[in-house]
Amino acid sequence: MSPSTAAPGRWQLPGGSVEPPQDGAVLDESALAGQAARELAEELGSSAAAKDLRLWVVTRGENGSVEPDLPCPCTS
């Protein structure tokens, strides 16, 4: 791990974030899947097709609040 991280020498889970959409682009489930595929490649070196990924939950905001109206993947 890089000595310039926030916690040098400690284990850390990979993480990433959604890039803002280009001017006029829509940030829909398909766009989020593409961004998730990009993050998998960047953070884990693992490849997956965006079409093979499924949205589980969306978090947003300062406190990481969970969007309540999305179905739980474990019930479908």
Side-chain angles (χ1 to χ4, degrees), residues 24 44 47 72 74 76:
L44 302 176
S47 64
C72 173
C74 54
S76 54

Side-chain angles (χ1 to χ4, degrees), residues 3-40:
S4 64
T5 65
R10 295 189 178 160
W11 282 88
Q12 187 174 338
L13 292 174
S17 59
V18 173
E19 299 290 331
Q22 301 276 333
D23 290 338
V26 176
L27 187 58
D28 58 8
E29 191 168 341
S30 175
L32 287 171
Q35 296 225 16
R38 176 186 54 78
E39 285 295 332
L40 279 170

Side-chain angles (χ1 to χ4, degrees), residues 55-61 64-72:
L55 180 66
W56 281 19
V57 69
V58 173
T59 60
R60 64 172 71 102
S65 56
V66 175
E67 179 66 35
D69 60 351
L70 293 172
C72 173

